[in-house]
Amino acid sequence: MKVLDSEAFGPLCAELRRAEANSINPEQVLPRLVAARSLDGALDIVSVLHGRFSRYLDTATTEHRNRATPRYLLGLFPQTDDRLDPAMNRAVQERADALVARASRLLVQAIRDGEPWVAALGQRPVGPHDGGQWDEAARAVAAYRDAWQVTVHQPLGQPSGTIQHQDADRIRVAYLAASRPIVSEIPHAVARGSLAL
């Protein structure tokens, strides 16, 4: 079976990007994962490697989350480094711009509709710096809710599964904590009907 024909090729590439975003070098890790157990008899080697690498990343990103600042767009989408060729860089940048634009549209719509999760983020500050921080945090939450199909009132909902928990934690730390020091109390405040932030 050819590597590119495997259904696991795309997911493996996504995990490679997630590794780079978390300052984990796949070129060092993958050979160790290959050597750890034999691949003899594997019908789809790419699928086996994807499984091993994904499990390794789940553990490594949880255990070493403070080791380096992860590079994610909107706290969700792994950023690539500058080693890509110019055409690939352009394509990645276009995709990043589209993701930010979609998150902005979703946020504007949520504000117009008076969505409770937006109210839970508190009033948008008037100052340019603080207002910009709030905008970034709200866009990240909008993108997260879109990606994970969150429909409940709490901004980040009730994450289930390792990757969703990691995404929620990343947004909480990188965006919400910066704009709202007591963000950990937001879900409880919504549940109590009190948004005294």
Side-chain angles (χ1 to χ4, degrees):
M1 170 182 259
K2 293 180 180 175
V3 169
L4 296 178
D5 291 338
S6 170
E7 289 185 9
F9 180 71
L12 177 60
C13 289
E15 292 296 68
L16 293 172
R17 288 187 61 203
R18 181 161 71 111
E20 284 195 345
N22 284 281
S23 301
I24 295 170
N25 186 343
E27 293 167 1
Q28 293 175 348
V29 174
L30 273 176
R32 290 198 317 257
L33 296 176
V34 169
R37 286 196 321 261
S38 172
L39 293 170
D40 290 344
L43 297 176
D44 185 349
I45 291 174
V46 179
S47 180
V48 173
L49 289 177
H50 169 253
R52 289 182 189 179
F53 196 55
S54 184
R55 284 188 296 277
Y56 171 85
L57 283 182
D58 287 348
T59 302
T61 54
T62 300
E63 288 178 354
H64 304 293
R65 89 178 50 166
N66 295 325
R67 178 182 59 190
T69 304
R71 298 180 322 267
Y72 282 82
L73 174 66
L74 296 173
L76 294 176
F77 307 101
Q79 295 283 49
T80 55
D81 58 23
D82 296 330
R83 294 184 296 175
L84 300 175
D85 67 76
M88 185 64 81
N89 255 334
R90 269 194 310 278
V92 168
Q93 188 56 53
E94 287 171 7
R95 178 77 176 132
D97 293 344
L99 291 167
V100 171
R102 177 171 173 76
S104 296
R105 285 193 305 274
L106 290 169
L107 174 59
V108 167
Q109 187 62 49
I111 292 169
R112 266 195 215 125
D113 294 347
E115 294 280 345
W117 70 264
V118 177
L121 297 178
Q123 198 70 16
R124 183 185 187 276
V126 254
H129 175 68
D130 293 337
Q133 275 190 326
W134 188 94
D135 294 344
E136 283 183 41
R139 266 195 301 273
V141 172
Y144 169 92
R145 292 175 65 84
D146 185 41
W148 289 105
Q149 297 298 297
V150 176
T151 57
V152 297
H153 294 335
Q154 298 97 329
L156 301 176
Q158 299 295 325
S160 62
T162 303
I163 294 181
Q164 188 177 3
H165 272 285
Q166 289 173 349
D167 285 351
D169 287 346
R170 197 177 311 107
I171 289 172
R172 199 174 284 115
V173 170
Y175 292 96
L176 298 180
S179 63
R180 286 271 162 238
I182 55 170
V183 72
S184 60
E185 296 177 16
I186 283 177
H188 307 294
V190 175
R192 289 192 311 265
S194 163
L195 295 175
L197 299 175

